[in-house]
Amino acid sequence: MSYHHYYVILALILVVAIRARLDDDHEEEKPASIYLVMVHGEPLEASSWRQEQVQNASSSSYHASRRRAVRLHDRLLRRTIAGAGSFYRKLYSFHHAVSGFAVHTTPAQAERLRAAPEVAAVEEDRGTTLMTTYTPRLLGLPDGVWPRRDGGGGGGGEENDGEGMVVGVVDTGVDPTHPSFAYVPRTSTANAAPRSRRGRREPPPVCGAGLRFPPGSCNGKILTARYFAAGAVAAAIPLDASRDLSPFDADGHGSHVASIAVGNRGVPVTQGGAVYGFASGMAPELIVESDNYSCCRLAVYKAIYPAGGTMADLISAIDQATQDDVDVLVLSVGPDERPTSKVTFVSMLDVALLFARKAGVFVVQAAGNRGPADSSVVSYSPWVTTVAADTTGRSYTPRLVLGNGRRVSGFGLSAPTPGGDGQLRFRLVAARDAAAPDVDDMERAEECQYVRTLRRRADVLRGSIVICSFAQGFYNGTSTVTAIVDTAEALGFAGFVLVANARYGDFVAQPLPFSVPGVMVPRVADAQVVWSYYAEHTLYAGSATVFGATAEITEGRVAAFVDAAPVVARYSSRGPDVVDRWSTPADVLKPDILAPGDQIWAAWSALSAKEPILAGERFAMISGTSMAAPHVGGVAALVRQRHPSWGPSAVASALSTTARGHDGRGSPIMSEGVELGALHRATPFDYGAGFINPAGALDPGLVVVPEYDDYISFLCSLPQLGPDDVRAATGEACSSPLSSPADLNLPSITVSALRGSLSVRRTVTNVASSTETYLCAALPPEGVAVTVQPGWFEIAPGETQEMVIELQVTWASGAFSFGEIVLTGSLDHLVKLPLAVRPVATV
């Protein structure tokens, strides 16, 4: 058992004791909470110590500086809030991604901290939430990016100097026994020394051993693994010592995310005894005969638990990942709500990510699962690549075939009812007609949640297909599909169908594995077809006496590839980005890019503490922007490996400017709407720059690269922030604010309120190997005239070129409209910058 393990257990005991004392002595005081405290000054990773750290991670001066920072935090706490009757406990000191600490204390003590001159900001911890195979082929990776066995393909060759990319994942941990994370020995070049990562050091091989995560779990594929639980302990989030106090993934989400990014190639996907193909991460370990090619390895930072998570643990994990010098950091997790800071971009989380970006970490974050509502993104800052989720065109569609021949489509990964193909039909019985008339909760009986409510007509239900209703219990989380399966097994159903309820409307369904034949029908219109047929063939004499309706359930485990893809998923959070909690639109495009996120097969933890229906499974198919983010993280690792001299901004630009605005059939990308099945023409507020194009990102021609100082100038140009606010958040002075926030040198242009006219500047850099001539053109948004100067330019490798984009209102619609700047190169490079402009009347 590790020292950290003992510390967390001791902390649990202390918290219980302290809370008991508080209950006795401070009954009138508001309860304690976790507060994130930012202090003035740069974090170590952003300071002059960084280069020394890269060269010598164990330098005495570096560690002395870190100890001084810890002592400063301790002295500040003692001086400000220590004393008779006071309560506080410091949870973490942050050194690398942000300068500050997390403390568990009362609101009154937090106010005293806020008044201290060393303190830049104090935020209450609002908690965190998870943003919850075929996709490498969909993205063109095997042929266009991964190297072939003969050394060909897009990824091998002399430029492969970025070997050993490290992808950090902050999530629920990882299952180290999963085959997706098995170490693959390099048989062809077993004695070859690994090449360096161009000045970036390897993360230290720290492996947070504990129950279910024994020593040796960090095996070469998993490079390092840690867990962060002090915030969860202080917030009284239930922790199970047998599974939670180690980097082990008790949930499944973290293993899923990590394997999408860097899981091994060609791992058989099995679930419920069925085989669904072979899984691979975007950047797997690949061995080719001509080269010792290795990408990529995994650094695990567990900060979320089955019962929840805190921002304190999340920021501490980011702080550690920044110190560990990971190349890519994947965050399929975010805030539960908008930050309480004055501006979204200067919340403690966003400032931590700013300094991670300065330290050379490419940060990718899930957009959130609150779509399709406007301004629902929960990843705000321009230094973070925010990912929306799309469908893949693959579907698993079982059907309920009624006795009259009608076929009703639904969801469910299960075997068909015996016989199949119309050879054998089964009696169709509604659960509500089998329930005892005096049952306490008829709605629960309709939902098929309890055996006891249906046992009265067990003889009728046995061997029948039973209709269960999606009612209130499913909406408030007290009813589950797992309970339906348990009831079906106990009473011997031939199968079940879970149908939408007209009282509650359509519901969103995902394919789940069923041990008995089953199908979910989420649309009310389809459910009415079932009920209409059922009513025609059921006789009532007080209660149902004759069940004449029949049905069968077809095979649900075979995939079809018939739908257009990509389509922006209904749940994927939308723009426009916001600058504050009052939903003021920002001059930043969010989301940034679109990637596969719907019905994704990937690794799973068999413990599956939150999803009992997946317990015992090693793979799961789930959906969310959580699944989209690691797709981009893995591709970013491939790009950084191919171009190890590129910084995070160059990688972000390459992904953005080469993204596609059309689906696989050449039509414009569509977006799912509020109504199930409804599709609308998508906009950059749905998909950012477009659908990720890995092969194009390897050779973008030009990149648009904002530097750290540009981000500071951007913050200084925001009307909601003054120079003192910026200095408090970043430690930087406002020496050169931008003329407009829209002047931030991003690979997109967003103007949230265009009055009259505005000139916006962008600087491009040639990262290709040849001199190229580019023609400049604009597809103007509605109500806006756009000109680009110069109209053309020639640019040599490594050179830069400034462009001026003139925007003029022609119709003040007051609504956002969209266009594009297109730079067409003479050597076939095509560079696209999305335009999002809201023309408004001059006051």
Side-chain angles (χ1 to χ4, degrees):
M1 187 179 297
S2 68
Y3 172 80
H4 187 58
H5 191 163
Y6 281 119
Y7 170 78
V8 173
I9 293 174
L10 179 60
L12 279 165
I13 297 170
L14 287 173
V15 167
V16 172
I18 290 168
R19 282 193 175 143
R21 178 181 173 184
L22 284 174
D23 289 343
D24 293 337
D25 299 338
H26 301 282
E27 291 182 1
E28 75 287 351
E29 190 172 340
K30 291 182 180 178
S33 185
I34 299 173
Y35 293 89
L36 308 171
V37 182
M38 192 184 308
V39 301
H40 293 291
E42 281 191 323
L44 299 182
E45 196 73 2
S47 70
S48 58
W49 297 110
R50 171 165 166 70
Q51 289 304 316
E52 181 181 355
Q53 180 195 10
V54 170
Q55 295 166 7
N56 182 9
S58 61
S59 68
S60 60
S61 56
Y62 173 79
H63 287 289
S65 179
R66 179 176 177 177
R67 287 192 296 271
R68 282 196 298 272
V70 173
R71 287 196 298 269
L72 176 108
H73 300 160
D74 292 340
R75 285 197 301 269
L76 173 61
L77 282 165
R78 285 195 300 268
R79 191 186 75 247
T80 307
I81 63 177
S86 66
F87 159 69
Y88 77 91
R89 184 166 65 88
K90 189 181 76 171
L91 306 177
Y92 298 107
S93 276
F94 307 128
H95 316 288
H96 304 279
V98 66
S99 182
F101 55 89
V103 61
H104 186 219
T105 191
T106 63
Q109 305 287 24
E111 285 304 312
R112 295 179 64 183
L113 271 174
R114 189 174 277 113
E118 300 96 328
V119 171
V122 177
E123 298 176 19
E124 186 174 1
D125 193 314
R126 300 292 179 136
T128 57
T129 185
L130 300 171
M131 311 297 186
T132 291
T133 134
Y134 161 64
T135 50
R137 178 68 60 184
L138 177 69
L139 300 182
L141 291 171
D143 299 323
V145 178
W146 291 345
R148 298 194 300 269
R149 292 283 180 181
D150 60 3
E158 295 179 359
E159 290 191 53
N160 184 32
D161 293 330
E163 179 178 335
M165 292 288 109
V166 178
V167 176
V169 174
V170 179
D171 214 286
T172 65
V174 72
D175 180 354
T177 68
H178 199 284
S180 290
F181 309 115
Y183 177 60
V184 181
R186 301 177 185 181
T187 55
S188 61
T189 52
N191 298 319
R195 290 190 286 260
S196 72
R197 298 189 293 150
R198 288 277 179 93
R200 298 181 67 80
R201 64 179 180 81
E202 291 288 296
V206 175
C207 208
L211 292 174
R212 300 180 184 266
F213 209 89
S217 295
C218 295
N219 55 7
K221 176 71 173 183
I222 302 173
L223 196 60
T224 187
R226 306 171 187 260
Y227 72 101
F228 304 83
V233 169
I237 292 174
L239 297 178
D240 185 334
S242 70
R243 70 186 190 204
D244 291 335
L245 301 184
S246 81
F248 176 76
D249 178 16
D251 181 283
H253 189 275
S255 298
H256 203 273
V257 168
S259 68
I260 292 171
V262 299
N264 290 329
R265 187 179 186 183
V267 179
V269 177
T270 60
Q271 188 184 77
V275 179
Y276 291 91
F278 296 88
S280 173
M282 300 303 101
E285 188 92 359
L286 296 170
I287 306 300
V288 297
E289 295 177 4
S290 64
D291 193 19
N292 183 20
Y293 183 97
S294 172
C295 184
C296 295
R297 289 178 289 173
L298 176 64
V300 177
Y301 305 93
K302 177 178 175 178
I304 313 296
Y305 296 85
T310 66
M311 195 63 69
D313 291 335
L314 175 61
I315 292 177
S316 187
I318 293 168
D319 193 64
Q320 184 63 57
T322 305
Q323 180 188 0
D324 288 347
D325 221 15
V326 300
D327 298 283
V328 174
L329 186 62
V330 177
L331 298 177
S332 288
V333 57
D336 259 344
E337 54 190 81
R338 286 183 187 165
T340 58
S341 56
K342 187 175 183 178
V343 167
T344 53
F345 309 132
V346 294
S347 73
M348 199 156 176
L349 172 62
D350 286 80
V351 171
L353 297 178
L354 170 62
F355 283 115
R357 181 71 166 254
K358 183 182 183 184
V361 180
F362 178 90
V363 181
V364 56
Q365 186 175 21
N369 297 332
R370 300 180 178 182
D374 291 343
S375 292
S376 52
V377 290
V378 294
S379 173
Y380 310 101
S381 293
W383 44 85
V384 174
T385 298
T386 302
V387 189
D390 67 71
T391 63
T392 64
R394 177 185 61 192
S395 61
Y396 294 84
T397 312
R399 292 174 173 83
L400 180 73
V401 182
L402 302 174
N404 61 5
R406 293 288 299 270
R407 301 169 71 87
V408 179
S409 298
F411 295 86
L413 299 174
S414 76
T417 46
D421 298 326
Q423 298 177 24
L424 184 60
R425 297 278 167 84
F426 297 84
R427 182 170 50 204
L428 191 62
V429 178
R432 68 187 184 192
D433 289 336
D438 58 347
V439 67
D440 293 338
D441 190 342
M442 180 56 75
E443 196 165 78
R444 284 299 180 91
E446 292 178 2
E447 293 177 326
C448 302
Q449 293 299 291
Y450 301 118
V451 172
R452 57 179 171 78
T453 62
L454 300 176
R455 196 180 297 278
R456 183 181 71 95
R457 302 297 299 274
D459 58 326
V460 173
L461 297 176
R462 186 176 299 110
S464 299
I465 294 176
V466 180
I467 306 174
C468 309
S469 182
F470 194 98
Q472 182 63 34
F474 285 98
Y475 281 97
N476 63 29
T478 58
S479 296
T480 67
V481 178
T482 305
I484 295 179
V485 173
D486 292 343
T487 301
E489 290 179 337
L491 295 179
F493 295 0
F496 71 89
V497 52
L498 176 62
V499 298
N501 190 317
R503 287 174 289 176
Y504 302 101
D506 297 345
F507 67 91
V508 177
Q510 294 290 328
L512 293 171
F514 301 140
S515 56
V516 297
V519 57
M520 296 181 287
V521 178
R523 289 166 51 93
V524 170
D526 292 332
Q528 288 173 342
V529 171
V530 177
W531 286 121
S532 177
Y533 166 73
Y534 177 77
E536 291 173 0
H537 295 81
T538 304
L539 299 179
Y540 293 88
S543 61
T545 57
V546 177
F547 299 96
T550 61
E552 67 169 316
I553 296 172
T554 66
E555 174 66 63
R557 299 167 298 182
V558 177
F561 299 85
V562 297
D563 299 327
V567 172
V568 181
R570 177 180 184 270
Y571 52 78
S572 184
S573 288
R574 309 303 210 263
D577 194 11
V578 297
V579 74
D580 54 37
R581 73 187 90 168
W582 298 281
S583 298
T584 304
D587 292 329
V588 174
L589 181 62
K590 291 291 174 182
D592 292 280
I593 201 162
L594 182 67
D598 198 65
Q599 298 185 22
I600 305 298
W601 281 112
W604 194 252
S605 171
L607 195 60
S608 192
K610 283 203 308 184
E611 295 290 348
I613 201 166
L614 297 174
E617 301 291 354
R618 303 302 302 273
F619 285 89
M621 181 171 61
I622 59 177
S623 301
T625 56
S626 279
M627 286 62 253
H631 278 90
V632 175
V635 171
L638 294 173
V639 175
R640 293 202 80 170
Q641 184 184 53
R642 180 71 180 272
H643 302 287
S645 64
W646 287 11
S649 293
V651 175
S653 174
L655 293 171
S656 176
T657 61
T658 60
R660 295 172 175 151
H662 54 80
D663 64 23
R665 300 174 181 176
S667 300
I669 293 175
M670 304 297 285
S671 177
E672 294 179 343
V674 175
E675 299 296 327
L676 291 184
L679 293 179
H680 312 280
R681 177 79 174 262
T683 76
F685 286 164
D686 302 318
Y687 58 62
F691 184 57
I692 188 171
N693 173 16
L698 291 176
D699 183 23
L702 303 175
V703 292
V704 186
V705 182
E707 303 294 345
Y708 171 74
D709 290 343
D710 297 323
Y711 294 130
I712 300 301
S713 297
F714 163 77
L715 293 175
C716 293
S717 69
L718 294 173
Q720 295 88 348
L721 292 178
D724 291 342
D725 298 318
V726 176
R727 183 183 290 276
T730 67
E732 304 284 356
C734 285
S735 56
S736 55
L738 302 176
S739 299
S740 161
D743 269 337
L744 178 59
N745 198 42
L746 295 172
S748 61
I749 297 172
T750 304
V751 181
S752 58
L754 177 64
R755 293 180 173 87
S757 62
L758 180 69
S759 295
V760 177
R761 286 171 166 75
R762 290 294 182 269
T763 299
V764 298
T765 302
N766 186 357
V767 292
S769 57
S770 302
T771 298
E772 192 163 5
T773 300
Y774 282 88
L775 295 178
C776 308
L779 300 175
E782 186 177 4
V784 181
V786 182
T787 59
V788 184
Q789 294 295 333
W792 67 275
F793 58 86
E794 184 179 81
I795 187 169
E799 284 189 347
T800 62
Q801 172 69 49
E802 183 179 77
M803 300 185 303
V804 178
I805 299 96
E806 297 281 353
L807 306 172
Q808 175 77 43
V809 173
T810 59
W811 173 46
S813 65
F816 275 101
S817 56
F818 307 95
E820 203 169 52
I821 303 295
V822 182
L823 310 178
T824 306
S826 56
L827 300 179
D828 295 331
H829 289 114
L830 187 65
V831 180
K832 296 179 292 182
L833 281 67
L835 276 170
V837 183
R838 185 168 69 98
V840 297
T842 303
V843 178

